[in-house]
Amino acid sequence: MSKLEFNIVEIPEGESRRTVGLTGEDLDMSPYDFKGAEIDLHFYRTIHFIRVNFRVDAEVELTCDRSLESYIQPVASDYEVLFKVDVQEETENEEGAVRRFNFSSNTLSIEEEVRDTIMLNIPIKKLHPKFLDEEGNPREFETRKYGEVEEETEQIDPRWEKLKKLKN
């Protein structure tokens, strides 16, 4: 049983809270190097549904696209999962998901939702923090030239020159 799988009978009626700490071995985040996370869970249980709100604070080691240096990317995000008895079709969007109870195991799991929440908050363009300004925007590249710069003279192909003379 994973750290993000809970027995329904162990969740008390009404509101309750838990904090779960994850290590790199607890969650498969391939191809990224997952360092760990702390997940604050807020359960609200009634006879008809269980609502799970969670906040993920995680760290993932990434490789910078510009310098190929490794760095730690913090990830923080909130999500909500609603487990209901009478759900015909499971749905999800960027704020939350609606799932049906798994009566056969009498458990509910939010492992997939936690993994997806972290994965969706990893930036597409991975940039080491040293390349960002105070507001988090990328700094301009500094271009350097080595050696002497040759002046570029516009050379015209001699065949074009002969064609221009024929035209005149």
Side-chain angles (χ1 to χ4, degrees):
M1 191 162 151
S2 118
K3 290 183 177 181
L4 297 172
E5 196 170 312
F6 306 97
N7 284 327
I8 295 172
V9 294
E10 292 177 1
I11 300 171
E13 285 281 327
E15 290 189 41
S16 62
R17 293 182 180 268
R18 291 187 194 173
T19 301
V20 176
L22 298 178
T23 62
E25 291 83 37
D26 294 328
L27 199 60
D28 179 28
M29 294 286 296
S30 59
Y32 301 110
D33 187 11
F34 176 65
K35 294 299 183 185
E38 185 171 294
I39 301 156
D40 293 322
L41 299 155
H42 181 162
F43 294 98
Y44 184 74
R45 180 177 173 202
T46 68
I47 296 171
H48 303 289
F49 68 87
I50 298 175
R51 185 180 68 220
V52 183
N53 292 331
F54 61 86
R55 167 110 181 131
V56 177
D57 291 308
E59 291 184 341
V60 180
E61 185 175 340
L62 302 175
T63 302
C64 176
D65 292 336
R66 187 179 286 184
S67 67
L68 298 179
E69 292 179 60
S70 294
Y71 70 99
I72 300 295
Q73 174 73 44
V75 173
S77 186
D78 298 318
Y79 200 71
E80 177 181 285
V81 183
L82 183 64
F83 293 93
K84 292 178 76 174
V85 178
D86 57 351
V87 172
Q88 302 300 333
E89 187 176 326
E90 294 184 348
T91 61
E92 61 185 293
N93 60 27
E94 57 272 354
E95 284 115 27
V98 178
R99 303 276 186 247
R100 67 177 67 94
F101 279 126
N102 184 0
F103 286 110
S104 62
S105 66
N106 206 24
T107 62
L108 53 93
S109 175
I110 60 167
E111 185 172 346
E112 184 179 315
E113 285 82 7
V114 169
R115 186 183 74 71
D116 291 348
T117 300
I118 295 170
M119 293 288 272
L120 288 171
N121 283 287
I122 293 175
I124 293 172
K125 195 162 207 111
K126 297 155 198 70
L127 204 54
H128 195 286
K130 71 180 184 180
F131 296 114
L132 302 175
D133 62 12
E134 295 79 31
E135 287 102 35
N137 297 320
R139 289 192 199 125
E140 291 295 321
F141 268 109
E142 182 179 312
T143 56
R144 297 181 184 171
K145 296 181 181 179
Y146 296 98
E148 290 188 29
V149 180
E150 292 182 19
E151 296 219 10
E152 293 183 25
T153 57
E154 193 174 314
Q155 293 184 348
I156 301 174
D157 190 338
R159 294 174 288 184
W160 282 112
E161 279 294 321
K162 289 184 180 180
L163 284 173
K164 283 184 182 180
K165 286 181 185 176
L166 286 176
K167 184 178 174 185
N168 292 337

